[in-house]
């Protein structure tokens, strides 16, 4: 009789507590698994819609990560609600925790807000060569995440810059436009022929196949300096050809000047040494005969 009573109590406990909890856990797992699958499907759908309106890969990845995090949070709350947890209190707790975390992570939130502004206003996109943080950092944009931007320098180094630091200083985007002007300065001696030098430089720009003729290249006297006559030489080219033009024109100008006998001045220092005086000393207290 006692054994039967114990068996009945055990079955009652199982039916009253174990089975309902087991059902809730199973339903919570089903909600979580299905919810996560639905969240990924919605995330992919949103990514497709964003791709139709923009081809900016950074913006697509940024939106996808934010949407995925929000949907996963809703799925977790729904699963916990199935377990009988008061989600209202949980949401309030999450809000309070979020406020506390936000106050302690102000710099991170600044980087997050800056990342949103960069992706919305697009001062640069992936593949652009930019100069940020007041000229301290420069490189090709590789990726931009929620908090940082990754750049690759010309010597193949990786630089990770906080998004907040990017918006605190001017941003120079060298790849924004298809064409750029190459600014160069060349000098000749005052003894050389100005017209001849100007013609030589203009011919070099006209004959170079990468120099654009519209807008027309400019060769003009810039200054009559202390020891030289300076010329501003300013051709236009495609952005990708900038450094090729810069290097070629410098070399060709030097070769043309050498062939024409035109001098490129360089700093010189002239030193004058005075010979010691050979006159006899005439000091007032000197008496050569006193002996």
């Amino acid at each position: 009789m006692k054994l039967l009573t114990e068996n009945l109590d055990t079955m009652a406990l199982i039916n009253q507590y174990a089975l309902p909890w087991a059902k809730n856990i199973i339903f919570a797992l089903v909600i979580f698994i299905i919810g996560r699958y639905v969240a990924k499907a919605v995330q992919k759908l949103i990514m497709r819609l964003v791709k139709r309106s923009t081809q900016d890969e950074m913006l697509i990845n940024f939106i996808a990560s934010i949407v995925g995090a929000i949907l996963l949070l809703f799925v977790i709350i729904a699963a916990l609600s199935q377990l009988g947890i008061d989600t209202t209190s949980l949401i309030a707790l999450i809000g309070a925790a979020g406020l506390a975390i936000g106050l302690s992570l102000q710099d991170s939130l600044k980087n997050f807000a800056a990342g949103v502004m960069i992706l919305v206003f697009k001062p640069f996109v992936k593949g652009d060569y930019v100069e940020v943080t007041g000229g301290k950092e420069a490189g090709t944009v590789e990726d931009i995440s929620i908090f940082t931007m990754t750049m690759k320098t010309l010597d193949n180094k990786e630089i990770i810059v906080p998004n907040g630091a990017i918006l605190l200083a001017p941003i120079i985007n060298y790849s924004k436009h298809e064409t750029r002007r190459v600014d160069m300065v060349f000098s000749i001696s005052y003894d050389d022929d100005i017209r001849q030098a100007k013609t030589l430089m203009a011919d070099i720009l006209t004959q170079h196949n990468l120099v654009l003729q519209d807008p027309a290249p400019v060769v003009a006297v810039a200054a009559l300096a202390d020891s030289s006559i300076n010329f501003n030489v300013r051709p236009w080219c495609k952005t990708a050809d900038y450094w090729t033009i810069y290097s070629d024109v410098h070399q060709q100008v030097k070769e043309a000047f050498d062939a024409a006998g035109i001098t490129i001045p360089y700093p010189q220092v002239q030193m004058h040494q005075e010979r010691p005086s050979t006159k006899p000393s005439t000091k007032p207290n000197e008496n050569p005969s006193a002996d």
Side-chain angles (χ1 to χ4, degrees):
M1 192 69 182
K2 183 179 179 181
L3 181 61
L4 180 60
T5 303
E6 290 179 353
N7 289 335
L8 290 174
D9 290 341
T10 302
M11 292 299 297
L13 289 173
I14 292 174
N15 292 330
Q16 186 176 357
Y17 296 104
L19 289 178
W21 266 102
K23 290 179 181 179
N24 289 337
I25 291 173
I26 292 172
F27 282 129
L29 289 174
V30 170
I31 290 174
F32 179 77
I33 294 172
I34 296 177
R36 189 173 62 174
Y37 175 79
V38 173
K40 288 183 177 180
V42 173
Q43 186 179 11
K44 290 180 180 179
L45 177 61
I46 293 175
M47 289 180 64
R48 290 175 185 172
L49 295 176
V50 174
K51 284 182 179 179
R52 292 179 182 178
S53 59
T54 179
Q55 298 297 322
D56 190 345
E57 184 179 347
M58 294 187 299
L59 180 60
I60 294 171
N61 294 334
F62 185 84
I63 294 177
S65 61
I66 295 297
V67 170
I70 294 174
L71 292 177
L72 184 59
L73 179 61
F74 280 119
V75 170
I76 293 173
I77 292 175
L80 293 176
S81 178
Q82 181 61 37
L83 292 175
I85 299 175
D86 187 0
T87 54
T88 303
S89 302
L90 179 62
I91 292 173
L93 181 62
I94 293 174
L99 179 60
I101 294 173
L103 292 175
S104 62
L105 298 176
Q106 293 185 25
D107 292 338
S108 297
L109 292 178
K110 288 179 182 178
N111 292 331
F112 174 80
V116 173
M117 294 181 66
I118 290 172
L119 291 172
V120 170
F121 294 104
K122 296 181 181 178
F124 50 79
V125 297
K126 183 177 180 180
D128 284 352
Y129 186 86
V130 298
E131 186 177 290
V132 297
T133 62
K136 296 179 181 179
E137 308 294 348
T140 303
V141 179
E142 291 284 299
D143 184 41
I144 183 166
S145 63
I146 297 176
F147 299 107
T148 61
M149 180 187 70
T150 303
M151 298 190 304
K152 184 173 68 174
T153 63
L154 294 175
D155 55 350
N156 206 31
K157 292 186 295 186
E158 182 177 89
I159 302 177
I160 300 176
V161 185
N163 290 335
I166 296 174
L167 295 184
L168 291 177
I171 301 171
I172 302 177
N173 189 339
Y174 293 97
S175 305
K176 184 69 174 180
H177 303 289
E178 294 182 358
T179 59
R180 283 187 63 187
R181 190 182 71 183
V182 186
D183 291 354
M184 296 171 285
V185 177
F186 294 99
S187 302
I188 65 173
S189 170
Y190 274 96
D191 296 330
D192 295 320
D193 189 336
I194 293 180
R195 296 183 182 276
Q196 181 187 16
K198 186 175 181 180
T199 300
L200 288 174
M201 289 184 284
D203 290 343
I204 290 172
L205 300 182
T206 302
Q207 296 170 9
H208 201 294
N209 61 339
L210 296 180
V211 173
L212 300 178
Q213 300 305 316
D214 185 20
V218 173
V219 178
V221 175
L224 301 178
D226 293 338
S227 58
S228 64
I229 301 174
N230 300 334
F231 289 86
N232 281 336
V233 178
R234 295 175 175 175
W236 286 83
C237 66
K238 292 183 178 180
T239 301
D241 299 329
Y242 180 91
W243 290 110
T244 301
I245 297 295
Y246 188 90
S247 177
D248 288 353
V249 172
H250 273 81
Q251 178 178 341
Q252 293 176 15
V253 167
K254 176 65 168 64
E255 292 173 350
F257 281 5
D258 289 347
I262 296 176
T263 304
I264 299 178
Y266 55 88
Q268 300 183 45
V269 177
Q270 293 184 350
M271 300 181 64
H272 301 275
Q273 183 178 6
E274 295 184 0
R275 295 181 179 180
S277 176
T278 56
K279 295 181 180 181
S281 175
T282 55
K283 293 182 180 180
N285 296 329
E286 193 174 26
N287 187 5
S289 61
D291 210 352

